[in-house]
Structure formats: C-alpha cells, structure tokens
Amino acid sequence: MEVKKDEKICIMIVPHTDKVKRILIPSWLPKASVVLLSTFFIGSFIFLGVTKNSKVNLEQQYKEKIALIDQLEKENIDKDSQLSTLRSQADELYSKSDEINSKLDEIDRLQKRLEKMADMKSPSRGGSISRDINLKELEPIEGMDVLNEVLEDKKLELEVFIQDLESRFAYLECVPNLMPVSGRITSRFGNRRDPIRRSIRFHQGIDIANSRGTNIKAAASGKVIFSGYQGGYGKTIIIDHGYGYKTVYGHNSSLLVDVGTRVEKGQSIAKMGSTGRSTGSHLHFEIHKNGSPVDPFSILN
Ligand SMILES: [Zn+2]
C-alpha cells in the first residue's frame, strides 16, 4: 500500500497470476470508517443496554401486574365466600324467625296462665315492639338487628314480669286465705245470739270446732305481735301479715310461737283448746283489714 500526497490512498492488490490491481480511495476514508465504526459500536452498545434495561423493567411491571391480579382474584373469592356465608346466615335467620315467633307466642301464653294463677290485675306483659315485622323484607344485618331488639325487649319484659310475679307471690303469702284448721263451723261472722249471755252480739270472727290439741296453722306468713292470755279470748296469738292484714287465734290450749317470731303460711302456731270465754274446744278466728274485722270467708280459700 502506497500513500499519495494527502489526497488519495492507493491500494494495490497483487494476485499470483493476474495483473496487479490498484484501487484509489480518498485519504479521509479510513479515518471516517474508524469514526463510523466506533460510533456504530458505541451506539449498538448503548442501544443494547437500554433495551436490556427496558426488558427488565417490563418484566418487573408484568410480574407486579400479575401479582396484583392474583391478589384481586383472591380478594374477590374472599368477598364471594363472605357473601355466601351471609346469605346462608340470612336463610337460617328467616327460618329461625318463624320458630322464634312461635316460641315468643308460647311464652306469652305461659305468662297469661301465670297471671291467671297469680290473679294478677295489672301485669307488665305486652312488649312495645311489634312482632309482625316481616324479616324477609329486610337486609340480613337489619333483620338480625330487629330480631335482637325483639328478643332484648322480651327479655326485659320477662325480667319485669318475674319481678311482678315475685312481689305478687310475696303479697299472696301475706294474704290470710289459708283455713287455719279443719273442723265444723259452729259460728259465723256477724250478729249472733251470744251462747253464754243469750243476747245479740256482734261476732267479729268465725268459730271452728275440733278436738282439743288439734294443730292451728298461720293463715298467712307474717310476724307474731301477740302471744299470751287475753281476757275472754284465752290463750291467743295475733299475727301481723303486712299489707294491712292481721289475724287473731283465740281459746287455744297452748301457744307454740313467741312474740317477734316470723311465721310461714301453714306453720303450726298453737294447739286447739277452750281457754277464755268458751263453751268447748274450738278456734275463734278473726281477720282484720286496715284495723277493722272482716268476714274471714270473704278472704279464705
Ligand atoms: Zn268466736
């Protein structure tokens, strides 16, 4: 290869057999080629780098998207299962609501029977909430709230009812309606001919005759306020029952309880006798209401 003066470069090709070939190229061409090739390689290198980076980024984004889709699908499945649980709960609620309503009716009937048994005049029964609500028309959550409210209301009503019953029973325990002794009624309440003086006298109790020593029972629970001898009444017990009631038991042969003793309805308090102004073994029994004697048969069962 021979270099000519800055202008051209002469390339000579010398084959073995043929003539020598001369190719003339401009002198700037090799330099330009080097620059071009360098540029090309550097460009390619940068391009490949960028492409590689982009590819990595895209893969990363793709993976993230896939993960997001997976998560959303999972959440969707969770929601679906929650929804189906809620639906089955609602179905159960609907089927239960009829059952619960019939149970509530049953409780109502029982309450009515108890009121009748306890002879209650102003029961607190009758809840404020209407039970005609159709739960099927409500959203499950709302339906459950309503049902809870109904049951809570019934619970409160029953608590009050039980309190009423308890106070009613406590009151009934204090009403002297238990016959204090069995026997023959020999004298009733009211005006009668006095068996001793043979004149009309007001008899403020009833006389029940039986054999001497027969147990005399408290007509109701209460507190003994007198136990001793009292004139014509002989050996006498007086019990204060509260609620304005007092009972008097006269002519006993012996007394079994002292003043201050609390007695239960039906508890033996004395033995029948004929002490005081009496013609034979019998109990003279009085009931006082608010300080006045009343006919025992208006109260006794
Ligand atoms: Zn009498």
Side-chain angles (χ1 to χ4, degrees):
M1 197 163 68
E2 187 185 324
V3 178
K4 279 198 173 178
K5 285 181 185 175
D6 292 338
E7 290 160 0
K8 300 273 188 211
I9 291 170
C10 178
I11 298 167
M12 293 177 72
I13 300 163
V14 187
H16 290 289
T17 52
D18 217 337
K19 288 181 197 169
V20 173
K21 282 184 181 165
R22 285 174 22 162
I23 297 163
L24 287 173
I25 55 168
S27 63
W28 48 266
L29 190 60
K31 284 181 188 165
S33 300
V34 168
V35 171
L36 269 175
L37 279 172
S38 305
T39 310
F40 173 75
F41 281 122
I42 291 166
S44 299
F45 185 71
I46 291 168
F47 174 75
L48 282 173
V50 167
T51 313
K52 200 184 169 198
N53 273 344
S54 300
K55 203 184 158 199
V56 167
N57 278 342
L58 276 175
E59 274 177 359
Q60 185 65 31
Q61 281 177 21
Y62 176 74
K63 278 179 188 163
E64 281 170 8
K65 286 271 186 297
I66 292 287
L68 190 66
I69 289 168
D70 280 352
Q71 195 189 334
L72 285 173
E73 270 179 358
K74 196 166 169 262
E75 279 175 13
N76 215 22
I77 289 167
D78 284 351
K79 288 263 183 328
D80 277 355
S81 85
Q82 277 176 16
L83 210 62
S84 81
T85 308
L86 211 59
R87 282 211 186 91
S88 70
Q89 280 175 350
D91 286 345
E92 204 180 327
L93 178 76
Y94 298 149
S95 69
K96 283 262 184 279
S97 72
D98 291 339
E99 206 180 311
I100 288 169
N101 269 342
S102 83
K103 288 264 185 259
L104 287 172
D105 288 343
E106 211 175 295
I107 292 171
D108 273 359
R109 282 194 293 276
L110 194 65
Q111 277 179 265
K112 276 181 192 158
R113 277 180 57 196
L114 284 169
E115 283 158 17
K116 207 175 169 189
M117 277 164 69
D119 193 21
M120 284 163 80
K121 294 284 190 297
S122 54
S124 57
R125 200 177 51 80
S128 55
I129 210 156
S130 163
R131 247 181 267 142
D132 301 332
I133 301 158
N134 190 358
L135 290 176
K136 288 167 187 121
E137 287 169 5
L138 301 170
E139 288 295 313
I141 301 270
E142 216 181 340
M144 269 188 214
D145 283 349
V146 169
L147 202 55
N148 265 333
E149 209 179 321
V150 170
L151 290 176
E152 189 59 29
D153 211 59
K154 191 68 190 171
K155 191 183 140 205
L156 293 176
E157 186 195 303
L158 280 177
E159 280 169 3
V160 175
F161 178 70
I162 286 165
Q163 277 173 17
D164 285 356
L165 263 186
E166 279 172 351
S167 43
R168 180 68 188 164
F169 285 139
Y171 166 74
L172 289 176
E173 277 299 294
C174 295
V175 175
N177 55 5
L178 180 82
M179 198 68 176
V181 70
S182 60
R184 193 163 50 90
I185 307 299
T186 53
S187 188
R188 292 185 172 266
F189 178 84
N191 287 321
R192 62 155 190 184
R193 190 169 290 275
D194 189 285
I196 293 168
R197 291 184 189 168
R198 307 263 170 208
S199 59
I200 301 292
R201 272 178 64 113
F202 186 76
H203 190 223
Q204 52 179 30
I206 55 170
D207 292 339
I208 309 159
N210 207 325
S211 52
R212 183 188 155 86
T214 306
N215 277 326
I216 309 294
K217 291 167 182 166
S221 62
K223 190 178 170 186
V224 178
I225 55 168
F226 184 86
S227 176
Y229 207 95
Q230 195 179 62
Y233 283 84
K235 288 185 179 174
T236 301
I237 297 280
I238 301 176
I239 300 172
D240 187 348
H241 306 283
Y243 304 98
Y245 287 113
K246 279 179 191 154
T247 50
V248 181
Y249 311 78
H251 309 309
N252 301 294
S253 59
S254 64
L255 306 175
L256 306 177
V257 287
D258 292 324
V259 171
T261 309
R262 286 216 63 88
V263 292
E264 298 297 317
K265 187 180 259 194
Q267 183 180 332
S268 292
I269 52 170
K271 299 273 184 192
M272 191 179 277
S274 190
T275 56
R277 216 160 58 84
S278 170
T279 52
S281 173
H282 78 283
L283 169 71
H284 172 84
F285 177 62
E286 292 177 13
I287 297 177
H288 293 247
K289 181 78 202 273
N290 300 324
S292 303
V294 293
D295 183 356
F297 283 121
S298 67
I299 293 171
L300 288 170
N301 279 333

